[in-house]
Amino acid sequence: MHKTPNASSQTQNRTHHNHQQKRRLIPAIIIVSVTLLLSLIMVITLFGCVLLRTLPEPTKIDERLAVFPTSNVPVRDNVNIYWNEYSIPFIEAKHDDDLAFALGMVNAHLRLGQMSVLRLVTQGRISEMAGPFTRDIDHALRIIDFGYAAASIEESLPEHSRRWLKEFVRGINFYQEKLIVIPHDMEVMGISLEPWRVRDVITLGRLSAIDLHWLAWLKLLPLNPQDANAMLRLMTNVNAGRESPNYTDTTTSTIHYQLHQLLALGVGHGRSGSNVMTVAGQKTVSGAAIIASDPHVGVQLPPLWLIVGLKSPSYHAVGITLPGLPVLIFGRNHDIAWGATNMRSLNSDLYALSPDEVNASNVIPTTISSRWWFDTSRIVRRSRLGPVISDIPFIADAFDNPVALRWQGHDTSDEISPFLDVMRAHNWNEFRAAFTPYALPGSNIIYADRRGNIGQLMAVTLPKRQWTKPESLIHPTDSPEFQWLGLLKPNDLPTAYNPPAGFLSSSNNKPFNDAGTIIGYAFPPQDRHRRISGLLAAQKTVDVKALQAIQCDVYSLSDHHLNQLLVERARKCGATKTIVDKHPEFQRQWSNWDGYYHSQSRGAVAFQALVAAFAEPALTTLFDSQELRNAIIASPELLIQTLIQALPDIPDEKFMPILVHSADEAVVATGGVEKWGDIQVLKINHFLANTPYIGGRYRFASFPYYGANSTIQKSARGGITPARQTVRYGANARHISDLCDPDKNYFILLGGQDGYINSAGFMDQVPLWLDNQYINVPLTIENVRRNFTKLIILHK
């Protein structure tokens, strides 16, 4: 029989035990404290080195070219690289392999820092640059895994494409090996030189293939299911319009439900947007077709585009490429020209996993390394349908159960060969055939040729689905209705060729579709497409100057239409007299606004201020949910479209006081603001400008700016507001070619060619951009030699 200890002995024993624990803990506490202190000292020291690092000295183009490796280059024959005063290169090679190799060197010379950052992003290694604060983002990127199919894609490529990629990568690595000075941005970000692989280039391409619906989902998922589903239904039933009438396979004008910019809440003002237009020879001054392209992405230095010319036995073209990719996305050769806009195709779906499917998922451990801190371990789960994205830390709370992402980007496809084949195509049939294996990103590809022909095709591989309108974001895995029933290839989809109108255009608007499956549901309003079509239709003949003017157009159809509706409604209900009595100058500016977002426009400021004040009380009369109203207001184009359609539903007894009070608020909000350029600002910043403590040194210039969210010259702001805002996204490259002459090619970047900070080519094109000017880039080698006066020769 055991004795029960009395209270005194228990207390003594506990006290003795606690003293022993404390004695054992003291060394551990000291070790941890010293470790943390040393780590903190290390972090402060390393970060201090970053703070003390100064910007490079200004560098002339000749000084930059002097560091380009030219001796003992592993090429089959000497290669000539001609440069103009804007650091635009034209590569002349006697062998295709040498052309690809030199293109890799040129990419590394001009944009190695940018390419290296993008590579780490695609691999989920941002924390190696930014520290432990971005580990959740890295975890998310590793769950999505842009490089999942890279190995199988490399193995499946045709021999000529694989060879081209290998030579391109070999050129990047040779340049890195000979590098004398590490680019400043790489030093600041702590990026070491790592050999490039073909798979790295393929993975970069997959990053550009992101399904834009994802970004929309990130905004919709936090909403309650009732609001999210209501918004999806709203998308398919409002803003009815017409599909692009240019397709001639079946009908030329089929009514459809135009899906307005609801899901652009997350797409961030319609990211990855663009305009492309082409005019047939029957409607041009020259008699040949003319093409014009202006892609829209984030505004930063260096820009996301690179202008380059190429010549070898198989290739002879000029155009625009993405740094780190070995093909021309926009451009021309002697016979044809091409451009593209993002189709916003739905290439992925979300599926709710059953417990058995979750248990059957592969569990993959991954280690995330952090700059200035310790490594951390995370888990990636992959189900039979794809990665379990509900494990992403910052969206996990939006899901009640595990959810998988099925994305075509995880399947094997070939996007390199199509563009290589297009670069050497001679006619429409060869152009169409080139895109046979293409999958994503879904693109509206515009075609033009020197004989005056024009065309358009849908470059995308679409899943066959039974449903045609979205009812929910997440689908059950056990329902046949939501399964993929096969794939539709580009050759299965409609095309357009020489339409009677004499022109074609694409501005991310929904293309005609008779394929029996949904294309997508994150299309923007058709403002840009309708405006381009209207301007082209109104002109009897078109030349290069006419297309330049269209690319720089700042008129907003929808904004002007809403303003006219408000003005007319105010007049009818008597609100105009009240506003005139109280605010005569504001009334004049608002009611007389012509719809143009020139930097000097006063009416544009009045319109934005009035709508900003009017939106919330007006939407309150229509929607009970505050979350839903906030979501609509957060998307400028969605807000405009909603108000256009909702105005008739607001009774006069509510409309009048709302409008008058909104005018009162607008007058207060615009005090001291005279013109659009006072609140619409273009900042010329390097991507390091947002870095804490040191970002200021990477902000180089600021200008009053023109354009808006829905203008052809797209300049996206954060919202409808009279507050001063910076343009974060929009047009930042332009290209025009008249196919009558191989040398009539005109390009411009918002920034410069050279990513080397403070080099002559770093931001030298900004003044030209602001003045709506272009740079001539010839195709014939004779004019290249005449106009590109700086020559470096790669000696074998």
Side-chain angles (χ1 to χ4, degrees):
M1 184 174 179
H2 299 282
K3 294 182 179 179
T4 302
N6 58 36
S8 175
S9 63
Q10 285 181 330
T11 301
Q12 291 175 353
N13 289 338
R14 281 199 299 269
T15 302
H16 177 71
H17 179 70
N18 290 339
H19 284 308
Q20 285 184 320
Q21 281 190 319
K22 289 179 181 179
R23 283 197 297 270
R24 287 196 294 268
L25 282 172
I26 288 173
I29 293 171
I30 293 173
I31 293 173
V32 171
S33 300
V34 171
T35 301
L36 289 174
L37 179 62
L38 292 175
S39 299
L40 184 60
I41 292 172
M42 178 184 69
V43 168
I44 293 173
T45 301
L46 291 174
F47 192 65
C49 294
V50 172
L51 290 174
L52 295 174
R53 188 168 284 116
T54 59
L55 295 181
E57 293 296 321
T59 309
K60 298 179 180 179
I61 185 172
D62 290 333
E63 295 173 316
R64 285 285 289 133
L65 294 180
V67 303
F68 200 106
T70 57
S71 302
N72 300 316
V73 182
V75 289
R76 294 174 60 183
D77 209 330
N78 291 352
V79 176
N80 294 333
I81 307 180
Y82 304 90
W83 303 79
N84 72 357
E85 66 269 34
Y86 295 102
S87 300
I88 297 174
F90 192 103
I91 307 169
E92 181 188 24
K94 297 176 183 177
H95 303 277
D96 292 346
D97 287 356
D98 291 349
L99 178 62
F101 183 91
L103 181 59
M105 291 188 69
V106 164
N107 270 257
H109 175 72
L110 293 173
R111 300 292 181 86
L112 184 60
Q114 184 183 36
M115 291 162 52
S116 299
V117 169
L118 289 173
R119 177 170 63 167
L120 292 180
V121 169
T122 64
Q123 296 173 355
R125 297 170 59 191
I126 298 176
S127 298
E128 295 178 27
M129 302 180 284
F133 316 103
T134 57
R135 289 183 295 193
D136 284 350
I137 298 175
D138 281 336
H139 189 198
L141 290 168
R142 296 190 187 192
I143 289 172
I144 294 172
D145 195 358
F146 288 103
Y148 181 80
S152 62
I153 291 173
E154 180 181 356
E155 293 171 2
S156 67
L157 287 173
E159 177 56 32
H160 79 279
S161 301
R162 189 184 307 113
R163 187 182 184 94
W164 179 272
L165 272 171
K166 287 181 177 178
E167 290 300 317
F168 178 76
V169 167
R170 205 163 65 90
I172 296 173
N173 288 330
F174 178 76
Y175 188 92
Q176 281 196 159
E177 292 167 6
K178 302 297 181 179
L179 196 62
I180 298 173
V181 178
I182 303 296
H184 174 84
D185 42 10
M186 293 183 67
E187 282 192 322
V188 170
M189 300 296 283
I191 302 174
S192 58
L193 294 174
E194 298 178 13
W196 281 71
R197 306 171 300 167
V198 169
R199 296 177 187 182
D200 295 333
V201 175
I202 293 171
T203 303
L204 275 183
R206 274 301 191 253
L207 179 63
S208 67
I210 184 175
D211 187 333
L212 297 184
H213 293 79
W214 298 355
L215 302 177
W217 295 344
L218 287 177
K219 291 293 185 180
L220 289 177
L221 284 170
L223 300 178
N224 66 68
Q226 182 179 357
D227 284 343
N229 292 338
M231 292 170 75
L232 286 173
R233 290 192 297 272
L234 180 65
M235 290 172 51
T236 61
N237 288 286
V238 302
N239 199 22
R242 294 182 181 272
E243 290 173 327
S244 304
N246 302 315
Y247 287 95
T248 56
D249 286 36
T250 54
T251 60
T252 57
S253 59
T254 300
I255 296 292
H256 81 293
Y257 290 115
Q258 188 211 342
L259 309 175
H260 64 65
Q261 186 84 355
L262 185 57
L263 282 184
L265 299 169
V267 175
H269 320 298
R271 279 183 171 76
S272 200
S274 301
N275 301 311
V276 180
M277 66 198 88
T278 185
V279 184
Q282 69 195 59
K283 196 175 169 66
T284 65
V285 174
S286 68
I290 306 178
I291 194 169
S293 305
D294 57 292
H296 306 162
V297 291
V299 175
Q300 65 175 29
L301 291 176
L304 199 60
W305 308 105
L306 197 60
I307 306 168
V308 65
L310 308 170
K311 186 179 187 304
S312 71
S314 299
Y315 303 97
H316 192 180
V318 294
I320 294 178
T321 184
L322 289 163
L325 294 184
V327 294
L328 300 180
I329 310 300
F330 309 86
R332 69 159 298 175
N333 59 30
H334 270 283
D335 297 311
I336 74 165
W338 60 95
T341 69
N342 193 296
M343 188 185 296
R344 304 195 179 198
S345 56
L346 182 62
N347 295 99
S348 52
D349 279 314
L350 298 177
Y351 290 95
L353 298 175
S354 68
D356 289 342
E357 289 170 320
V358 173
N359 294 333
S361 299
N362 293 326
V363 179
I364 307 162
T366 184
T367 299
I368 298 174
S369 299
S370 296
R371 191 182 188 188
W372 303 318
W373 206 248
F374 308 105
D375 295 350
T376 185
S377 297
R378 298 288 178 91
I379 293 296
V380 172
R381 294 191 293 176
R382 188 171 188 87
S383 72
R384 65 178 181 87
L385 291 172
V388 182
I389 64 159
S390 51
D391 289 343
I392 293 176
F394 45 83
I395 63 172
D397 291 342
F399 301 99
D400 294 328
N401 298 294
V403 172
L405 169 72
R406 185 174 185 185
W407 176 43
Q408 279 182 276
H410 292 138
D411 299 333
T412 302
S413 62
D414 180 8
E415 286 73 39
I416 297 296
S417 300
F419 280 103
L420 287 176
D421 292 345
V422 161
M423 286 162 57
R424 53 188 179 184
H426 301 290
N427 53 54
W428 171 247
N429 289 334
E430 292 178 5
F431 177 82
R432 282 196 67 186
F435 284 99
T436 300
Y438 187 95
L440 71 170
S443 301
N444 301 297
I445 308 290
I446 297 287
Y447 165 92
D449 69 34
R450 61 186 177 89
R451 299 173 187 85
N453 302 305
I454 60 174
Q456 182 174 351
L457 61 81
M458 298 170 66
V460 65
T461 298
L462 283 172
K464 290 183 181 179
R465 299 178 174 93
Q466 292 186 40
W467 58 274
T468 57
K469 295 180 182 180
E471 298 293 338
S472 63
L473 291 179
I474 303 171
H475 308 307
T477 59
D478 57 356
S479 173
E481 179 184 357
F482 298 105
Q483 304 307 307
W484 292 5
L485 307 176
L487 297 173
L488 293 172
K489 305 294 288 184
N491 288 343
D492 301 318
L493 301 170
T495 62
Y497 188 67
N498 287 337
F503 61 85
L504 289 162
S505 71
S506 175
S507 298
N508 315 110
N509 49 288
K510 182 181 179 182
F512 175 80
N513 173 33
D514 64 351
T517 189
I518 187 171
I519 295 177
Y521 52 85
F523 301 104
Q526 299 208 56
D527 282 50
R528 289 179 286 126
H529 175 63
R530 289 170 52 211
R531 177 64 172 166
I532 290 171
S533 299
L535 291 172
L536 290 175
Q539 301 187 50
K540 185 176 180 180
T541 56
V542 176
D543 59 10
V544 168
K545 287 186 177 180
L547 293 188
Q548 289 176 342
I550 292 175
Q551 285 188 326
C552 301
D553 184 78
V554 293
Y555 175 77
S556 173
L557 282 167
S558 289
D559 290 13
H560 193 212
H561 180 45
L562 174 59
N563 198 63
Q564 290 175 316
L565 292 176
L566 289 169
V567 170
E568 179 62 18
R569 184 77 183 274
R571 184 188 64 80
K572 288 182 178 180
C573 74
T576 299
K577 185 179 184 305
T578 304
I579 297 174
V580 167
D581 290 342
K582 298 175 70 175
H583 314 294
E585 181 60 20
F586 175 84
Q587 164 65 20
R588 185 185 66 79
Q589 293 175 4
W590 162 54
S591 61
N592 292 330
W593 182 49
D594 59 4
Y596 284 87
Y597 281 96
H598 298 298
S599 60
Q600 299 297 316
S601 174
R602 296 188 175 192
V605 175
F607 168 76
Q608 290 264 326
L610 185 71
V611 173
F614 180 79
E616 170 62 26
L619 293 178
T620 301
T621 68
L622 304 168
F623 304 104
D624 292 332
S625 169
Q626 183 67 57
E627 280 190 340
L628 187 58
R629 297 197 299 270
N630 291 344
I632 293 171
I633 291 172
S635 174
E637 290 172 292
L638 169 62
L639 174 59
I640 297 297
Q641 299 301 324
T642 302
L643 291 177
I644 287 173
Q645 296 198 19
L647 277 182
D649 298 326
I650 304 176
D652 285 347
E653 61 270 19
K654 291 185 178 180
F655 175 84
M656 182 174 176
I658 290 174
L659 187 67
V660 171
H661 182 68
S662 298
D664 294 339
E665 291 189 356
V667 169
V668 173
T670 56
V673 177
E674 294 188 359
K675 55 188 181 299
W676 183 240
D678 293 338
I679 60 173
Q680 173 92 330
V681 182
L682 173 67
K683 293 184 178 180
I684 308 299
N685 295 341
H686 190 271
F687 62 76
L688 288 172
N690 294 322
T691 306
Y693 304 107
I694 64 173
R697 69 182 67 165
Y698 301 102
R699 298 166 191 157
F700 294 98
S702 178
F703 305 95
Y705 206 43
Y706 46 83
N709 291 290
S710 57
T711 57
I712 297 174
Q713 159 55 44
K714 190 175 183 71
S715 305
R717 292 159 55 81
I720 300 292
T721 174
R724 182 182 173 92
Q725 288 196 337
T726 299
V727 174
R728 302 289 185 183
Y729 168 82
N732 54 20
R734 297 182 185 130
H735 160 230
I736 301 177
S737 283
D738 189 336
L739 276 294
C740 75
D741 185 335
D743 295 327
K744 285 191 173 182
N745 314 299
Y746 307 93
F747 297 86
I748 191 69
L749 301 180
L750 179 51
Q753 284 276 105
D754 196 351
Y756 193 86
I757 295 176
N758 277 342
S759 67
F762 180 57
M763 50 182 289
D764 56 338
Q765 295 184 43
V766 172
L768 299 179
W769 179 278
L770 294 174
D771 200 30
N772 296 336
Q773 296 186 44
Y774 294 70
I775 300 168
N776 177 233
V777 181
L779 180 63
T780 60
I781 196 64
E782 296 79 15
N783 276 326
V784 169
R785 292 169 180 166
R786 184 178 298 113
N787 298 315
F788 284 45
T789 57
K790 301 180 185 300
L791 170 66
I792 60 175
I793 302 174
L794 308 185
H795 298 277
K796 63 177 182 177

